[in-house]
Amino acid sequence: FPVTIYSGKAQSPAKNWQYSFSKFGSYSVVLKTKYQTGCEDSTKATVLVYDQPKAKFSVNDSIQCDKGNSFKFTNESSIGSTDLLYFTWTWGDGNSVTGSSPSAKTYSTWGTYPVKLVVLSSNNCSDTFRRSVRIAETAKPKFTVGNYANITRVFCENETVVIDNQSITNDPGPWKYRLKFSNGLDTTANLGLNAWSVFPQFGVYTAVLQSVNTVSDCIDTASDRFTVLSIPSANFSVSPNPLCALQQVLSLQSTSTNADGNALKHTWIIADSSGFTKSAE
């Protein structure tokens, strides 16, 4: 038997038909059956279509640092009918809450978290909206102070001071590092590489290494102090000169100076042309 089914303006000659409604409301569905000789019949049913909610939300900032992060989600879900709506938020860290306006969400560790909002109407029609947020790591920088031979915090004037960046990060970043000295020197150090400088003036200096996760400008710093000693100026007086062997005693008087005021250690060496040497401290 030829079959005609219609709902509003939609119709089909198929025996069985599947139809999707784009709008909520009350619809009449009529089935007409007709035999070739003209015998026909019809039946009618009413279909009630509930409205489907539209899930949506926005977030104040989708990328934040692991320190002090606070994600504020604004519910922008809607429905065309007067049906009541129920909301379930899944944060992607194993936790979830219900309600239209959730409290600010805080994450404890870096990573990417898929946030999901499920909206359910009082007639069990639902919709889902997803959006990911990212927590950027704030890595604690770490470094050592030394020369090219070993780790030390005491140097001489004009000796090369090497800052070895030993920061370890888990987040892929990208990262950048900034190295500052208390005398105004400012440079950039790459992870795993040495930054160096020389200090021509004695004193106590501070090195500050700053790590920056440029994904969201997550910044932390570490500092260490080191000492640069002055190079002493060696000088002495000799009296008498010349003198008689076995009759006179040579008097040696140090007039050496040290600009930083630290006590000096003296070592005297006497040598002749034959290779004879004599030393005293």
Side-chain angles (χ1 to χ4, degrees):
F1 298 91
V3 180
T4 300
I5 305 176
Y6 62 89
S7 172
K9 296 182 179 180
Q11 57 184 5
S12 171
K15 180 179 180 180
N16 299 302
W17 187 25
Q18 290 183 336
Y19 183 77
S20 178
F21 295 88
S22 60
K23 295 183 179 180
F24 69 95
S26 179
Y27 294 83
S28 294
V29 179
V30 177
L31 171 63
K32 286 187 176 182
T33 58
K34 184 177 181 180
Y35 190 61
Q36 294 177 355
T37 58
C39 302
E40 62 181 38
D41 194 16
S42 65
T43 184
K44 179 180 179 181
T46 299
V47 175
L48 183 60
V49 178
Y50 296 124
D51 193 15
Q52 182 183 23
K54 179 65 176 179
K56 187 180 180 181
F57 65 81
S58 60
V59 62
N60 60 329
D61 187 358
S62 61
I63 303 177
Q64 298 184 35
C65 301
D66 52 3
K67 293 183 178 180
N69 68 85
S70 180
F71 291 89
K72 299 176 181 179
F73 295 90
T74 301
N75 192 344
E76 299 176 352
S77 304
S78 61
I79 192 170
S81 67
T82 58
D83 294 350
L84 295 177
L85 296 180
Y86 305 93
F87 307 92
T88 301
W89 303 80
T90 303
W91 301 127
D93 61 352
N95 298 308
S96 61
V97 297
T98 58
S100 174
S101 302
S103 301
K105 173 61 179 175
T106 299
Y107 293 91
S108 59
T109 57
W110 74 276
T112 299
Y113 296 87
V115 179
K116 180 175 69 174
L117 171 61
V118 177
V119 181
L120 180 68
S121 74
S122 54
N123 289 307
N124 289 322
C125 298
S126 65
D127 191 27
T128 301
F129 184 81
R130 294 177 174 86
R131 183 179 179 182
S132 293
V133 297
R134 179 176 174 182
I135 298 294
E137 179 186 15
T138 305
K140 185 67 176 178
K142 180 182 178 182
F143 65 92
T144 59
V145 181
N147 52 35
Y148 286 118
N150 59 342
I151 297 174
T152 180
R153 286 184 174 83
V154 180
F155 304 87
C156 295
E157 290 174 329
N158 294 315
E159 183 180 357
T160 300
V161 178
V162 178
I163 305 297
D164 185 11
N165 185 358
Q166 296 184 340
S167 305
I168 297 176
T169 60
N170 298 297
D171 190 334
W175 295 87
K176 68 178 181 180
Y177 296 87
R178 186 177 184 181
L179 179 63
K180 287 183 167 183
F181 295 101
S182 55
N183 66 339
L185 287 177
D186 193 339
T187 185
T188 299
N190 293 320
L191 184 63
L193 300 180
N194 293 338
W196 60 271
S197 186
V198 294
F199 296 81
Q201 180 63 41
F202 69 89
V204 177
Y205 296 88
T206 301
V208 178
L209 179 64
Q210 181 187 76
S211 65
V212 183
N213 189 333
T214 59
V215 171
S216 190
D217 284 336
C218 305
I219 300 173
D220 204 353
T221 59
S223 63
D224 201 356
R225 302 176 71 188
F226 59 94
T227 300
V228 177
L229 301 177
S230 63
I231 298 177
S233 176
N235 200 10
F236 65 94
S237 61
V238 179
S239 179
N241 187 21
L243 74 161
C244 296
L246 301 178
Q247 293 181 5
Q248 293 177 292
V249 176
L250 179 66
S251 178
L252 302 173
Q253 184 69 40
S254 173
T255 57
S256 303
T257 58
N258 193 16
D260 61 20
N262 288 315
L264 294 176
K265 180 181 178 181
H266 296 78
T267 300
W268 296 94
I269 301 174
I270 297 177
D272 64 18
S273 59
S274 67
F276 168 81
T277 60
K278 183 70 174 179
S279 64
E281 295 183 358

